[in-house]
Amino acid sequence: MKNLGNLMKQAQQMQQKMTEMQAKLAETEVTGSAGGGMVQVTLNGKGDMKKIVLEAQAVDPEDKETLEDLILAAHNDAKQKAEAMMAAEMQKVTGGLSLPPGLKLPF
């Protein structure tokens, strides 16, 4: 029974660390870019878009498709960076504990 008590205590500590990590990530911002920096998209750690920056030369009324593609690429770049940051933080919380494939912890 003592081992079960220790396991429960460790689970509670991990849950607290996860909550703290989620709060930290919500405040962290990551910027992705495309077109050599002509388009930048900033997301917070939860994936919410916080800001878009467009350089004047990226805005061509005759070629809106390119701008749309650049925005998508910048968003995907920021999302990839945010996911990498989240994975690194998760490693810190779980201490390298490998979770089974498909098991996602709530964010």
Side-chain angles (χ1 to χ4, degrees), residues 46-64:
K46 294 172 84 176
D48 299 329
M49 192 177 303
K50 303 307 269 181
K51 183 168 124 179
I52 295 179
V53 176
L54 305 173
E55 295 293 327
Q57 65 265 34
V59 183
D60 179 356
E62 301 296 318
D63 186 15
K64 75 179 196 103

Side-chain angles (χ1 to χ4, degrees), residues 21-34:
M21 181 190 71
Q22 289 170 349
K24 178 182 172 186
L25 288 174
E27 295 174 7
T28 303
E29 292 187 349
V30 177
T31 300
S33 65

